[in-house]
Amino acid sequence: MSIFFLNGFGFASWVVRIPAVQESVGVGAGALGLALLGLAGGALFAMPTVGALISRFGSRPVTVGTLFLFAALLALPTLAGGLAPLFLALLVVGVSAGGLDVSMNAHAVAVEKRYERPIMSSFHGFFSLGGLFGAVTGGVVAELGVGPTAHLAGVAAITALAGVFIVRHMLPASEDRGTREEGAEPTPTFVRPTRALLGLGMISFCVLVGEGAMADWSAVYLSGTLGTGPGFAAAGYAVFSLAMTVARFTGDRVTARVGAKRIVRGGASLAAVGLAAGLLAGNPYLALLGFGCAGLGFAVIFPIALSAAGHARDLPPGPALAAVATAGYFGFLVGPPTIGFAAEIVGLGGALFIVVALSATVSLLAGTVEKSGKKKPASEAAA
């Protein structure tokens, strides 16, 4: 869980310094969106490669390697002097970030199997807690006038130092390293998705477009569109992360009581309505409220989709989980650049309604989490 915290801490620290990097490079929203495609491209290149490495070596060594690589590269985008260098810097950061996302989730699945009960939402809660901590400290550091390079270099050092101690307590590589008996068929690296798996992938894609949008554009929306200061702008992602953190730490218990389908449908509806209202108001405080509704609504949907994929019938859990996770992270990475391009046409406030529309789509697809073949708990079956 500590790895999830460090990932969230590092990512949020970068997020709240995006406006400063944008200003130093001197680009608009569209060009910034283009640069962010580098982050997406690097991650998408890394994900299938990391999946193969996990199958061969286990999730522990891959998680350790990508964590330290992520820390080493975190401050690199702040050194860019133009659009092309920024794109290339984000490309290599994306390789480390995408690899870390996949490998830490694979290790979380191995831990969850040891517990023999759903705990995936709590893992993602620690990611959100790290995001909250990174956003709050990043806002304070920005207000104190510390430059983004010094700030992110410090975050990288903290991440690497903490990682040295954390990796000692991870499960051994043999826990999920691909092994098979003599003459047995190897576990496939990739699977042909079923209709249910496609639905879970679509849910994950839509929700993580929203999460990525809140990460990359909430501070820019508050500072650029609504004219707030850098400290208040950082509060956008902090409020989103706080709401998501609270919901994720209670998500496993609530889901067991009311059922995954109801949680997904209700959460997606809350995100759509709350965010739309906050954007239409055009007020900084109401925008924060809208971001909070999005955080509450999105919180447990992706963990529920991952859990459903891991219990899908007639599919090996590893490849099924990887397929859904990749669809989600694809949305997380390509959604923000798409919103940047749309902002050049309709303004950032209008472009964020893409998130509203995708949230409504998730509400319509909520039944997919019960069609994956996952066995329902008794409390859910009675609901």
Side-chain angles (χ1 to χ4, degrees):
M1 291 184 177
S2 299
I3 300 291
F4 279 73
F5 179 91
L6 290 176
N7 192 6
F9 173 57
F11 182 76
S13 298
W14 150 251
V15 163
V16 299
R17 303 318 299 259
I18 288 177
V21 173
Q22 179 185 12
E23 182 179 357
S24 67
V25 176
V27 296
L32 178 62
L34 180 62
L36 291 172
L37 279 175
L39 192 68
L44 293 174
F45 170 79
M47 285 177 180
T49 304
V50 166
L53 291 174
I54 291 170
S55 296
R56 183 172 182 179
F57 301 108
S59 61
R60 173 177 172 154
V62 181
T63 302
V64 171
T66 52
L67 174 67
F68 287 112
L69 182 63
F70 176 68
L73 297 173
L74 185 60
L76 187 62
T78 67
L79 303 175
L83 181 60
L86 179 60
F87 176 88
L88 293 175
L90 289 172
L91 184 71
V92 295
V93 172
V95 170
S96 65
L100 180 57
D101 283 335
V102 172
S103 59
M104 74 180 188
N105 273 288
H107 200 74
V109 169
V111 174
E112 188 177 45
K113 289 179 180 179
R114 285 281 191 98
Y115 273 76
E116 298 183 344
R117 61 182 174 86
I119 57 171
M120 185 64 75
S121 180
S122 297
F123 275 102
H124 287 258
F126 274 91
F127 177 85
S128 298
L129 186 63
L132 172 62
F133 186 73
V136 171
T137 56
V140 172
V141 168
E143 284 290 334
L144 293 175
V146 178
T149 301
H151 171 208
L152 293 181
V155 170
I158 292 171
T159 300
L161 182 62
V164 170
F165 295 97
I166 291 168
V167 298
R168 301 175 183 176
H169 304 286
M170 297 175 68
L171 295 178
S174 59
E175 192 74 18
D176 57 358
R177 184 171 52 222
T179 58
R180 61 188 177 101
E181 297 179 358
E182 185 177 354
E185 290 295 325
T187 300
T189 304
F190 302 99
V191 296
R192 178 176 295 179
T194 63
R195 181 176 299 180
L197 202 62
L198 286 172
L200 293 173
M202 178 61 72
I203 287 175
S204 300
F205 174 85
C206 292
V207 168
L208 266 72
V209 166
E211 289 192 32
M214 296 300 98
D216 285 359
W217 294 113
S218 59
V220 177
Y221 175 73
L222 289 169
S223 63
T225 303
L226 300 185
T228 68
F232 192 99
Y237 189 61
V239 168
F240 174 81
S241 296
L242 175 61
M244 181 167 280
T245 301
V246 172
R248 280 181 165 170
F249 281 120
T250 59
D252 292 323
R253 293 192 299 272
V254 175
T255 301
R257 288 184 179 181
V258 306
K261 178 180 176 179
R262 292 180 182 176
I263 287 293
V264 171
R265 180 161 292 158
S269 299
L270 174 63
V273 174
L275 183 59
L279 293 172
L280 289 172
N283 177 278
Y285 293 98
L286 293 179
L288 288 182
L289 181 60
F291 295 152
C293 288
L296 287 174
F298 291 153
V300 299
I301 296 178
F302 185 50
I304 284 175
L306 290 175
S307 181
H311 291 80
R313 290 180 185 152
D314 302 324
L315 289 174
L321 179 70
V324 172
T326 300
Y329 286 114
F330 179 75
F332 188 79
L333 295 167
V334 305
T338 302
I339 289 173
F341 298 143
E344 290 290 310
I345 302 172
V346 298
L348 185 53
L352 287 173
F353 271 88
I354 293 174
V355 178
V356 175
L358 293 178
S359 299
T361 301
V362 170
S363 180
L364 297 176
L365 294 171
T368 306
V369 299
E370 293 183 347
K371 296 178 181 178
S372 64
K374 180 182 177 183
K375 293 181 180 180
K376 301 177 186 178
S379 57
E380 184 174 335

